Amino acid sequence: MRLTLHTDYALRLLMLLAAEPGRRHTIEEIAARYAIARNHLTKVALRLSQAGFVRSLRGRHGGLELARPPAAINLGAVVRATEDNFALVECFDAARNGCVITAACGLKGPLQEALTAFLATLDRYSLEDLVKARPAGRALRRVLAATQPGNA
């Protein structure tokens, strides 16, 4: 299974907001720091805002910030909110299934089990787990610090 860029960008955006708490980040800044398209990131931020993960504030001191603590943002919930389709194979979508072996195929069950296990694994982690002070979290903060404007 491969996550969409939308979900990839959503996770990166959330990691930045969690790694640099106490400040608001603009779409322009985040897009520049991650070298991704501003328009795509705007759609990602909108979806995260609608799902209650991010708060968007307008005005001179506006920007994006986490809507709840990083420990309260579950990775499985983020992936479910940002992925549009979990149909790993054609037969997962009954309305569009044209596979001629569906009635006799044993593949759907194991793939469904694998998808369930994938999401269950993500459900065990929060955004805090990705950015808390341990080697990976410290390394992430160093890399993000280097992407701040004026540090390039």
Side-chain angles (χ1 to χ4, degrees), residues 90-140:
E90 188 176 340
C91 62
F92 274 39
D93 185 353
R96 296 185 179 161
N97 184 17
C99 180
V100 298
I101 66 168
T102 297
C105 181
L107 183 59
K108 185 175 181 179
L111 288 177
Q112 183 62 55
E113 185 179 338
L115 176 59
T116 300
F118 172 76
L119 292 170
T121 298
L122 292 176
D123 286 339
R124 293 195 325 252
Y125 296 92
S126 72
L127 183 57
E128 182 179 64
D129 293 322
L130 303 180
V131 299
K132 67 184 175 184
R134 56 189 174 125
R138 288 190 298 273
L140 173 65

Side-chain angles (χ1 to χ4, degrees), residues 8-114:
D8 180 13
Y9 293 169
L11 292 167
R12 289 194 228 174
L13 186 152
L14 290 170
M15 288 170 58
L16 173 63
L17 297 180
E20 296 179 357
R23 70 179 283 243
R24 294 189 183 121
H25 299 268
T26 65
I27 294 288
E28 291 78 14
E29 174 210 343
I30 298 167
R33 290 177 72 178
Y34 280 133
I36 57 180
R38 180 188 173 281
N39 288 342
H40 196 108
L41 192 60
T42 299
K43 294 174 190 173
V44 169
L46 178 62
R47 172 90 56 102
L48 290 172
S49 179
Q50 291 169 338
F53 298 116
V54 168
R55 183 174 24 253
S56 177
L57 301 151
R58 295 181 174 267
R60 184 173 185 198
H61 299 288
L64 299 173
E65 63 185 18
L66 292 179
R68 45 186 131 144
I73 298 177
N74 179 272
L75 297 186
V78 173
V79 169
R80 286 179 185 89
T82 56
E83 284 293 315
D84 289 328
N85 187 342
F86 286 100
L88 297 181
V89 289
E90 188 176 340
C91 62
F92 274 39
D93 185 353
R96 296 185 179 161
N97 184 17
C99 180
V100 298
I101 66 168
T102 297
C105 181
L107 183 59
K108 185 175 181 179
L111 288 177
Q112 183 62 55
E113 185 179 338

